[in-house]
Every structure is written in structure tokens, then in C-alpha cells.
Amino acid sequence: LEACREVSQHRRAAEEQGPNGESPEWARPKDCCGCNPQPPWIRGSDAANLGMTRVAQRDIWEHQFPPNKCEGRKLLIARWSYIAHGIGSQVHIMTAILSLAMRHNRILVPMYQTFDRAKHSECNATGSWGTFDCYFFPLVSPDCEAIALKANSSGALPPCSTPETNEEVLGSDHPVVCFHHEPFNGLMNEASVVSRWGTAYLERPNVVELQGQVQPDDPRLLKVHWWRAQALRFMLRWPSPYLCHLTNKIRHGSYGLRVAAHTMQARERSAALLRLYNHQLSSSPAAATDAATTAADAASDASAAAATASTSTSSPLRPLSLNHTDPSFLSFADPTMHVRAWPGLGISSCSGSASSPGPAPTFRAYLTNLYDQVGREVYLPRPMVSLHIRQGDKGSEMKLSSFNSFMFYMHRLRLHVPDIRFVWISTEMQSVIDQSAQFKDWTFFYSQNERQEGATRLIDYERKCGLAQLVGVSFANLLISSDCDYYVGVLGSNWNRLINEMRATNGRVFAGYVTINLGEF
């Protein structure tokens, strides 16, 4: 689990600008000649992400969070698409508008309180009713947003652009313009701003397998995929405290008892072995054998502990020169390895704070402290396959596939990675969850929420479940899915494409994506 309040505070601090509007140090490393920017929300090496990912993330962030209180900047106001669109479609449309805004050197400001899927009591309680900020960190600086809101409420804006007048309106000298995109008229694949980063989109393949065949790289589709992945990573870079808590709840509900049981078993085994070691310091080999038998009895519920004790019985352990009788040893009082190397959250004070004496910390030291503060990947049983199954009303847009069809590819994946057994299922269909119980050689994890029956329209399903449950759970599932190790789904679905794009900037570009169909993709 994540310590959401503390982590969110550190993440906000990581995005603070200097007193004169300077970018955070991760964006412009001063004492590291030739270093790439190091946005703390990007994991893995540069080679494990799409080309120039860290540079692109810095550039997008600096574009949306300009210095000097947004003075002298041109803005583009765009409302979120209507709720008739799926969430994946809404997010993809906004990535296209961000491309247009950046190409015309305008800062994108989503129109205030137009994200309909945040119009519920939970978002209202956090002060973010109707805004994307309910689920993720802000997309734009508050100064720019205030200027746009004032201009919009004053009625002084020029007429909003239409698909026919986009270039004229966006390229005008008006400081604040608005963008009209309903219907979207083919702008879904807008990615013209990619040229700013040269041919970075060609540096890493988008490895997609369909029916056993790796799909050929199409430069046009690679360009769209690269831009969507970059824009999406920026938009979803950090979950809000509300979404962080909700994701904790879903993780805990899915595999919390499993983690707790394994943790307690490990604690009991460690305690039994420590009692054995300490007893051996002052015992004869015969007594050591008795101690080993006692240790085995104390941990009889764990087969691994019994095996360890049995080995010790036949070949008594050599007395060890340690005596960990201090209870703090078993309570893991020293978190060094947990903070520095092992999975999970590591919160530590910044050793190079302004209040401490001595020289200013180097960029490397700064980075180490920053990573300690924002946390590493949260624990997930591994290796884990993300399996997203979209059925329901999607049959009007693509051919639907049965659960057995997906499992065929899951077993095929196991031919290459034999130790795979954990699966994170994200689906709107209850029938999928029911059918998963038939596959005893797999361990399935999923969020505990109400699901859809039959071909009910998604919008009707949302009304039935309530936005507060469905949308937050969907975003939490997306975050967990993007942290998996392998991916199976249907790229004919916008949500599957979100997962594919998220993993490409999450250190998993070479994990590839096995799809049953391509659909419009």
C-alpha cells in the first residue's frame, strides 16, 4: 500500500518551481553535464521506455506549467467530450487537443467542471467536482487556469473554433481562444506536435502480436502511439490522494490477505530460526537438534519452515556469532533495504535540505532523495499478466471474443514464460469473473465491484453503478494494469489502448502486447 497523504505531499513538492519561476531540478539538472531530465514519474531506463520519453515529459510539463504566473502566454480552452464517449475515448481526445495546443504554442486549459465523470459526491468532497483533478494531478498551472476561467466568464472570448476554422483560430493573436470538437471529425489521431522531438517515435518498436504474428511497424501509427503514450503519461503521472486511497483499497481487497498470510509466515519462520541460532550458542549438538525440532513444531503450518528445520536436524547448523534478542530486529526497525532497494514505499527526510549545513547536494544525491520520497513501485505479485476483456456493448464496434479465446493466448504466453500464474483481470463483465474460476492453474486477481450483465450499454451501466464507484475503480484498474509484466487484450478497445500506451512509458516497452483484434487501431 502507499502512504497516500505523505506521497502526495512529496509529489507536489517535486513539481514546485523556484522563487523566480525556475523549473524543478529534475527538469534542468545543473551539475550533471549531458544528463537527461529525470521526471520522477518515469520508471526504468531510457532503453526500457519509448524514445526520448524523459525529455518529452519534461517538455510537456514545462509547457503546461510556465513560469511568471502564466503572463504573456496564449491559452486554449477545451471542454471534455460528452459522457456519451467512453472514458478511454475522452482521454484520447484530450491528448489530441494537447497536440494541437502545443503545435500552436498555446497552453491547454480543460474547461472548468466539464469532466462529467467527476460529477459525484466523492469528487465534491475533495473540492474537485467536475474536474479531472479529482483523479490525477492537475494538467495545467493554477495561474493559467485562473486566467482562462476569467476570460471565459467575461464573455470576451472570440467564437470557438470549428473543425473548419481550427488552424485560423488557434493560430490567431487572441490570448485566449476556445476549441470546439463535437463531432471530433477525424482529429482523434492528431499527433502533429511529434515533429518537435524529431524521429523519437521510431526509436522503439510498438511490439503488438495478433494471431501469432508481430504486426509490421507503420510510421504513421507509431507516431500516434508515441504521442498518445507521452500525453497520457503526463496527464496520468500521479494519482490524486482520492484515487491513491481507492487503489490501495482495491489492492488490499484483491490480494491483501495473501500478502498478510505470507508476511506472518515469514515472521514466524524467522523467529523460529532465531530461537534455534541463539540456543545453539550455548548448547551441545544434541541440544541444537532438539531446538531444531522445536522450531519445526512452532512453524508446522508452513511447509518451507518444516523443510528448513528438517535439514537442520540431519545436519546441525554451525553456531552463529550473532545474538538478535532485541525485539526490534523482528519488527524491521532499520528500513534501509526497504527504502533503498526492495519493493514498496520509502519515505525519508531529504538529507540535503536547505536548513542543513554543508555544501549543496549534487544532482545525483538530489535524485536519490527524490526517489526515496515519491516511492518505488508498490508491491504486486509477480510475474503478473494484465488481461483486459472488453465485451458488453462493444460488439457494435468490433468482433467480441470469448473468455476461452483470451485464455488460449494466456497459455501460449506460458510456453515462453513458464512461471507465469498471476493474472490481473480488468473487465466490466461478471460472466468473465465467473468463468475464470474454471482455470485452476491460474491465480486471478480483480477489483471487487458490481459488474455488467449482458449487452447493457456502458452509459446505462455507469448510471446503475454510479460514477463514484465505476470511474474511480476503472482508473485504479488502469494504474494496476500498467504495472504488470505482460499484456493480453483487444486493441479494438480504447481502454486496451490506454493500457498499451501506459506500459510503453512505464519501463515496459519491450513487454509487448498480445491482442485478439486490432479494431480501428
Side-chain angles (χ1 to χ4, degrees):
L1 305 179
E2 279 195 309
C4 295
R5 182 179 62 182
E6 292 86 350
V7 169
S8 296
Q9 289 173 350
H10 287 302
R11 288 168 175 168
R12 280 192 288 268
E15 296 197 5
E16 287 182 357
Q17 295 170 320
N20 298 316
E22 303 95 342
S23 295
E25 190 169 350
W26 57 259
R28 304 282 176 180
K30 300 176 180 62
D31 64 333
C32 185
C33 182
C35 285
N36 279 337
Q38 298 291 331
W41 56 87
I42 299 298
R43 299 167 178 163
S45 66
D46 289 344
N49 290 284
L50 290 175
M52 293 187 71
T53 285
R54 285 184 163 87
V55 174
Q57 291 300 302
R58 186 270 314 276
D59 293 347
I60 298 172
W61 188 90
E62 288 188 334
H63 177 85
Q64 290 293 108
F65 290 84
N68 302 323
K69 300 186 179 299
C70 208
E71 294 178 1
R73 303 289 179 141
K74 295 196 294 185
L75 310 179
L76 170 62
I77 302 176
R79 65 160 291 128
W80 286 90
S81 54
Y82 297 106
I83 201 168
H85 291 269
I87 306 174
S89 176
Q90 285 184 302
V91 174
H92 277 144
I93 289 173
M94 196 55 78
T95 67
I97 301 174
L98 179 58
S99 172
L100 286 174
M102 291 187 67
R103 180 160 64 84
H104 290 280
N105 200 28
R106 289 185 178 274
I107 295 168
L108 172 62
V109 181
M111 191 175 290
Y112 189 59
Q113 293 185 341
T114 60
F115 189 59
D116 294 331
R117 286 184 165 92
K119 293 181 177 180
H120 56 77
S121 58
E122 297 293 336
C123 292
N124 189 50
T126 64
S128 52
W129 185 86
T131 72
F132 200 63
D133 300 4
C134 177
Y135 302 106
F136 296 96
F137 268 44
L139 303 182
V140 66
S141 80
D143 296 316
C144 297
E145 187 174 48
I147 293 172
L149 183 63
K150 181 179 179 180
N152 189 45
S153 60
S154 68
L157 291 180
C160 289
S161 70
T162 65
E164 293 75 25
T165 63
N166 278 337
E167 294 298 318
E168 177 184 349
V169 174
L170 271 62
S172 70
D173 293 330
H174 289 288
V176 183
V177 298
C178 57
F179 180 77
H180 184 77
H181 57 81
E182 297 285 355
F184 206 63
N185 285 10
L187 287 177
M188 178 69 88
N189 291 331
E190 159 62 34
S192 56
V193 74
V194 169
S195 59
R196 175 178 297 193
W197 297 278
T199 58
Y201 64 94
L202 296 174
E203 292 182 13
R204 306 280 186 278
N206 179 27
V207 183
V208 173
E209 183 192 271
L210 173 66
Q211 297 178 357
Q213 300 293 321
V214 175
Q215 297 303 290
D217 288 333
D218 180 329
R220 182 183 63 87
L221 292 181
L222 283 178
K223 184 180 293 187
V224 174
H225 171 71
W226 187 92
W227 169 247
R228 282 183 173 182
Q230 300 299 342
L232 185 66
R233 175 57 59 187
F234 165 74
M235 293 169 63
L236 278 59
R237 63 193 184 280
W238 302 127
S240 67
Y242 161 66
L243 182 58
C244 178
H245 284 294
L246 182 58
T247 307
N248 272 350
K249 182 178 180 180
I250 290 174
R251 290 179 186 274
H252 184 62
S254 300
Y255 49 81
L257 285 178
R258 178 189 183 90
V259 171
H262 288 182
T263 302
M264 292 306 297
Q265 286 176 2
R267 188 183 182 89
E268 292 166 1
R269 296 168 192 170
S270 298
L273 287 172
L274 282 173
R275 287 195 296 270
L276 170 63
Y277 294 156
N278 290 326
H279 186 84
Q280 286 179 328
L281 292 176
S282 57
S283 299
S284 64
T289 298
D290 294 339
T293 304
T294 302
D297 293 339
S300 60
D301 62 325
S303 59
T308 302
S310 147
T311 303
S312 301
T313 303
S314 59
S315 179
L317 295 173
R318 183 177 59 189
L320 302 178
S321 58
L322 56 89
N323 189 6
H324 287 294
T325 57
D326 184 352
S328 66
F329 178 77
L330 286 180
S331 63
F332 307 104
D334 181 1
T336 303
M337 285 297 289
H338 181 56
V339 169
R340 298 292 181 186
W342 292 343
L345 175 68
I347 296 294
S348 66
S349 60
C350 182
S351 58
S353 63
S355 59
S356 61
T362 66
F363 177 63
R364 295 296 186 191
Y366 165 84
L367 208 56
T368 299
N369 287 321
L370 181 63
Y371 286 156
D372 287 347
Q373 292 167 4
V374 300
R376 294 179 175 83
E377 292 188 14
V378 182
Y379 173 81
L380 190 66
R382 296 191 184 280
M384 179 81 80
V385 184
S386 164
L387 175 60
H388 183 74
I389 300 180
R390 182 74 167 91
Q391 294 178 345
D393 63 341
K394 198 66 175 179
S396 62
E397 299 179 18
M398 69 180 192
K399 181 180 178 181
L400 302 183
S401 299
S402 67
F403 182 70
N404 285 341
S405 299
F406 288 90
M407 291 308 298
F408 170 82
Y409 287 98
M410 295 286 290
H411 283 286
R412 183 175 175 278
L413 182 60
R414 188 178 266 177
L415 291 175
H416 301 275
V417 191
D419 56 342
I420 289 180
R421 58 193 177 100
F422 299 132
V423 184
W424 181 264
I425 296 185
S426 51
T427 181
E428 80 281 15
M429 302 303 297
Q430 182 58 43
S431 59
V432 168
I433 302 300
D434 297 339
Q435 292 174 59
S436 69
Q438 302 172 13
F439 294 85
K440 305 298 184 181
D441 55 338
W442 295 87
T443 301
F444 295 94
F445 302 106
Y446 43 83
S447 57
Q448 307 291 332
N449 59 281
E450 184 175 355
R451 287 183 164 83
Q452 187 175 341
E453 302 281 357
T456 307
R457 289 191 312 156
L458 185 60
I459 191 171
D460 295 329
Y461 169 52
E462 286 184 344
R463 291 190 181 114
K464 177 185 177 183
C465 296
L467 293 176
Q469 179 193 120
L470 185 64
V471 181
V473 169
S474 296
F475 278 131
N477 269 278
L478 178 62
L479 296 179
I480 296 172
S481 295
S482 69
D483 279 345
C484 291
D485 303 289
Y486 301 95
Y487 302 85
V488 177
V490 279
L491 289 177
S493 154
N494 263 301
W495 196 261
N496 277 265
R497 292 198 288 278
L498 290 182
I499 296 173
N500 185 37
E501 291 148 7
M502 288 283 282
R503 60 101 186 164
T505 56
N506 198 34
R508 291 162 173 80
V509 71
F510 290 110
Y513 201 100
V514 178
T515 183
I516 292 183
N517 69 34
L518 288 177
E520 65 185 57
F521 181 80

